[in-house]
């Protein structure tokens, strides 16, 4: 009986070891596949850059101002929010800059996430008719969103110059925060694009959540640390920290270490998920859409 128990225990440990080894091999294989897709896409950067510029041109074809409408729209939104929600008295100082930076980052994130969910369905003809790496479509949307955000950045700088925050070396931390958000963008797009491919209803769910989420994110309201719901919405909302990495250095002149830490961890987690999804399911996408 004892010999059988020992033998059985050895077999169990052997099976667990084989399962762990198989799982590790599968994960390594998925990561290798993901990196191969990404590297092949990087070699085709002229393709996705050209496609992104073509997208921007098509969206504003035959309009008088062309892409400058992106700048006009941003300034109109920012001006409206400042006019409607600006607090009275001493609390009004810096509010225009607060809203300008918040809207710039939020509109970028909202556009990236909302457009990511139906990405593979939108690119169905390319995916079925070509052998382009899947990451090409991710980078196409990344560059398109970055170009559109560039006009908002110009508008934000205009508001900052008018509203009067002093230009300090701390503004470089804000630039670093924007670069961190940009580096996170392909991972966000990949994760939400696969989500949309697996769950078509997520396009409507995510769209509604992003519209509602604007009111639970300190885009235009200022956290005062008093209201319980506001405290929860501020501290436990990951978008708060994406806003703070760009906003705090300009408004306060300090390095937002906590915001950078949370945003950096979020970026790493999103990239880990994105690589696993891309490596494991990039060949199955054509059957999902």
């Amino acid at each position: 009986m004892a010999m059988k128990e020992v033998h059985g225990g050895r077999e169990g440990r052997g099976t667990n070891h084989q399962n762990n080894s198989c799982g590790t091999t599968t994960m390594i294989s998925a990561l290798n596949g993901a990196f191969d897709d990404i590297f092949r896409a990087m070699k085709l950067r002229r393709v996705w850059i050209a496609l992104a510029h073509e997208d921007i041109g098509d969206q504003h074809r035959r309009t008088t101002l062309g892409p400058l409408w992106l700048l006009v729209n941003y300034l109109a939104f920012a001006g409206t929010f400042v006019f409607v929600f600006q607090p009275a008295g001493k609390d009004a100082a810096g509010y225009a800059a607060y809203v300008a930076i918040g809207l710039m980052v939020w509109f970028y994130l909202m556009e990236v996430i909302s457009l990511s969910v139906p990405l593979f369905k939108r690119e169905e003809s390319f995916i079925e008719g070509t052998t382009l790496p899947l990451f090409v479509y991710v980078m196409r949307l990344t560059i398109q969103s970055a170009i559109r955000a560039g006009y908002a950045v110009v508008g934000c700088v205009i508001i900052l110059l008018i509203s009067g925050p002093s230009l300090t070396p701390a503004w470089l931390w804000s630039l670093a925060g924007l670069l961190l958000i940009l580096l996170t963008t392909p991972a966000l797009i990949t994760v939400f694009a696969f989500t949309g491919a697996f769950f078509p209803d997520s396009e409507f769910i995510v769209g509604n959540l992003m519209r509602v989420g604007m009111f639970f994110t300190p885009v235009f309201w200022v956290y005062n640390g008093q209201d319980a719901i506001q405290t929860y919405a501020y501290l436990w909302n990951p978008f708060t920290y994406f806003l703070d990495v760009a906003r705090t250095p300009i408004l306060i002149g300090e390095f937002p270490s906590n915001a950078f830490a949370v945003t950096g961890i979020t970026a790493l987690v999103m990239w880990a998920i994105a690589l696993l999804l891309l490596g494991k399911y990039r060949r199955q996408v054509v059957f999902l859409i």
Side-chain angles (χ1 to χ4, degrees):
M1 178 67 70
M3 289 296 292
K4 288 182 178 179
E5 290 178 354
V6 172
H7 183 67
R10 288 176 178 174
E11 285 185 345
R13 287 193 296 271
T15 301
N16 290 336
H17 178 73
Q18 290 177 355
N19 290 336
N20 292 335
S21 177
C22 181
T24 302
T25 302
T26 302
M27 183 177 295
I28 293 175
S29 176
L31 291 176
N32 287 337
F35 284 120
D36 177 66
D37 194 89
I38 291 173
F39 290 147
R40 290 193 297 118
M42 290 298 108
K43 293 179 181 179
L44 298 171
R45 56 185 175 274
R46 292 184 178 179
V47 174
W48 40 263
I49 291 175
L51 289 174
H53 281 282
E54 182 180 347
D55 291 336
I56 298 296
D58 289 342
Q59 291 165 6
H60 301 90
R61 182 174 296 172
R62 300 179 64 186
T63 61
T64 303
L65 297 180
L68 284 177
W69 274 115
L70 298 170
L71 174 60
V72 173
N73 291 340
Y74 168 80
L75 290 174
F77 265 101
T80 301
F81 273 95
V82 171
F83 178 77
V84 174
F85 295 103
Q86 184 171 10
K90 63 179 182 179
D91 294 333
Y95 185 74
Y98 184 91
V99 169
I101 301 171
L103 283 176
M104 177 188 69
V105 176
W106 176 258
F107 281 162
Y108 175 77
L109 293 173
M110 184 172 67
E111 177 180 279
V112 164
I113 293 174
S114 299
L115 292 179
S116 296
V117 180
L119 174 63
F120 294 149
K121 182 64 178 178
R122 198 165 56 247
E123 301 287 3
E124 181 179 1
S125 60
F126 276 97
I127 294 175
E128 293 179 346
T130 68
T131 57
L132 291 173
L134 203 63
F135 204 68
V136 164
Y137 310 111
V138 173
M139 292 307 300
R140 176 183 185 177
L141 180 55
T142 299
I143 296 300
Q144 180 191 151
S145 299
I147 293 173
R148 292 171 62 87
Y151 290 91
V153 171
V154 172
C156 182
V157 171
I158 292 173
I159 294 175
L160 291 177
L161 293 176
I162 295 174
S163 60
S166 300
L167 180 63
T168 67
W171 284 39
L172 294 175
W173 288 119
S174 181
L175 178 60
L178 293 177
L179 290 176
L180 178 57
I181 294 172
L182 184 61
L183 290 174
T184 311
T185 300
L188 288 172
I189 292 174
T190 303
V191 171
F192 281 98
F194 275 105
T195 301
F198 283 109
F199 310 105
D201 288 347
S202 60
E203 178 180 353
F204 304 99
I205 296 173
V206 171
N208 289 329
L209 287 176
M210 293 303 295
R211 281 189 286 271
V212 174
M214 182 175 182
F215 298 95
F216 285 91
T217 304
V219 178
F220 58 89
W221 54 264
V222 181
Y223 175 60
N224 56 28
Q226 298 175 356
D227 185 82
I229 296 178
Q230 190 185 65
T231 299
Y232 180 83
Y234 183 87
L235 296 178
W236 295 96
N237 185 349
F239 292 114
T240 294
Y241 304 96
F242 278 81
L243 268 62
D244 282 350
V245 293
R247 189 155 57 187
T248 301
I250 293 176
L251 298 183
I252 303 180
E254 298 177 354
F255 172 67
S257 57
N258 186 47
F260 266 92
V262 174
T263 305
I265 292 172
T266 303
L268 291 175
V269 171
M270 294 303 295
W271 267 112
I273 298 173
L275 290 173
L276 291 175
L277 288 173
L278 184 64
K280 190 173 182 180
Y281 297 110
R282 69 189 187 283
R283 300 185 189 278
Q284 282 85 349
V285 166
V286 67
F287 302 109
L288 296 173
I289 57 178

